Amino acid sequence: MSKISITLFMLFAFSVSYTTCYAQELPSPQIGNSDQQVEELERRLEQLEPPKPITIVEPQEEAEAKKYYPTDTIPISEVIDKGTKIPFNIIMNDPNYKRPVYEEHWHSTYWGGRWSYIPMRIQYALHRLFTTYDIGISGELNFKQNVGINFPMFQNDTALDLYIVVFQTTVTDVYTKGNQVVVAGTPNRNGVQVLTVKTGDIHPTDLRKSLLIQLATALGHELDYSIIAYEPPDFWLKQKLKAKERKR
């Protein structure tokens, strides 16, 4: 055997030996887990998109909320001119806040994909005004995770707060008239504010309808809106009284 043949043979033998050793280090395929992996991927897919291609113009939640839209609405300029200016408290203010395109907890592997549904993510991205009350731990968790920010909440037996989250706007005044609340401010490219308004300062004319919260410029141009049911200032007091009655 020539030297060249011997050299090639040794190289081939080394290559086979190295490949065999490398292959032995690789994890063997888990055949028994393949079905579980498929089921997991299918479950995650269900958390991301609708079951079939459709066009969603209005989410179901917003459509339901509009059933209680106040009927006797007036122009924003009239609410500012003829309404009542009410006090507000800013509990969070970050003028340099840049709203992220995507948050890690929106991923389909986080909390079983609780906040990963793409139509919902688009719905929230379309708005810069969000409203809520401190009336439930589950609701509070969902709200904060959906808007992507965390802020303190305070319970008061006789002075319930309406929490208003505003992105990319510096709030200057808050007005109310009838079932409308106008949050007036100056639009900005960045920033987030969270303010509270006492529901006792809001006097809706129709308790059967919801409140129309409108974000607008000082000149009365609407930037966004939110619809939320009115809750009286003694909400927590009533809840505690109901709890006492159930214990009897």
Side-chain angles (χ1 to χ4, degrees):
M1 185 180 291
S2 65
K3 291 184 178 180
I4 296 177
S5 298
I6 293 173
T7 303
L8 291 174
F9 176 80
M10 292 178 65
L11 287 173
F12 176 77
F14 175 79
S15 175
V16 172
S17 175
Y18 177 80
T19 303
T20 302
C21 293
Y22 180 74
Q24 289 175 348
E25 293 175 0
L26 291 175
S28 59
Q30 301 294 325
I31 299 177
N33 291 336
S34 60
D35 291 341
Q36 295 178 2
Q37 292 174 354
V38 170
E39 290 178 2
E40 172 64 14
L41 291 174
E42 288 179 345
R43 184 197 63 78
R44 287 176 56 187
L45 187 61
E46 291 175 355
Q47 298 292 330
L48 289 174
E49 64 181 18
K52 60 181 180 179
I54 58 173
T55 298
I56 303 175
V57 178
E58 186 176 56
Q60 184 65 29
E61 301 81 22
E62 291 190 359
E64 289 293 326
K66 282 188 175 180
K67 294 180 181 179
Y68 302 95
Y69 193 95
T71 52
D72 299 327
T73 58
I74 59 177
I76 292 175
S77 57
E78 187 173 338
V79 177
I80 295 176
D81 293 338
K82 299 181 180 180
T84 302
K85 181 186 289 190
I86 58 177
F88 63 93
N89 182 35
I90 297 178
I91 61 174
M92 179 179 178
N93 183 32
D94 185 357
N96 299 317
Y97 178 84
K98 292 184 178 181
R99 199 171 179 186
V101 175
Y102 192 80
E103 294 271 9
E104 62 176 335
H105 62 264
W106 295 340
H107 197 264
S108 60
T109 58
Y110 193 94
W111 269 49
R114 185 167 179 173
W115 302 284
S116 64
Y117 193 52
I118 297 301
M120 180 175 65
R121 298 272 50 89
I122 295 174
Q123 173 191 354
Y124 275 83
L126 289 172
H127 291 280
R128 61 168 66 186
L129 172 72
F130 303 92
T131 56
T132 189
Y133 296 107
D134 177 21
I135 57 176
I137 296 177
S138 179
E140 176 184 343
L141 175 65
N142 275 334
F143 181 84
K144 291 180 178 179
Q145 295 293 340
N146 276 320
V147 298
I149 60 171
N150 191 26
F151 53 90
M153 284 188 160
F154 316 95
Q155 289 186 7
N156 191 307
D157 287 354
T158 57
L160 183 68
D161 286 313
L162 169 64
Y163 292 81
I164 304 174
V165 178
V166 180
F167 289 102
Q168 297 162 275
T169 307
T170 301
V171 177
T172 55
D173 301 287
V174 179
Y175 304 88
T176 184
K177 185 175 177 59
N179 281 54
Q180 290 172 251
V181 176
V182 171
V183 181
T186 303
N188 300 308
R189 289 187 177 180
N190 299 314
V192 61
Q193 287 185 321
V194 181
L195 52 134
T196 60
V197 171
K198 298 296 181 184
T199 61
D201 292 329
I202 306 171
H203 303 282
T205 53
D206 188 353
L207 293 176
R208 297 169 299 176
K209 296 293 184 177
S210 294
L211 296 175
L212 171 61
I213 316 296
Q214 295 169 283
L215 178 65
T217 66
L219 296 178
H221 301 294
E222 187 180 72
L223 301 172
D224 198 5
Y225 73 95
S226 174
I227 303 173
I228 188 169
Y230 175 77
E231 294 292 349
D234 60 348
F235 172 86
W236 279 113
L237 181 60
K238 290 179 178 177
Q239 296 304 309
K240 291 179 179 180
L241 292 175
K242 288 179 181 178
K244 288 182 179 179
E245 291 177 357
R246 286 195 295 267
K247 291 180 180 180
R248 293 177 182 177

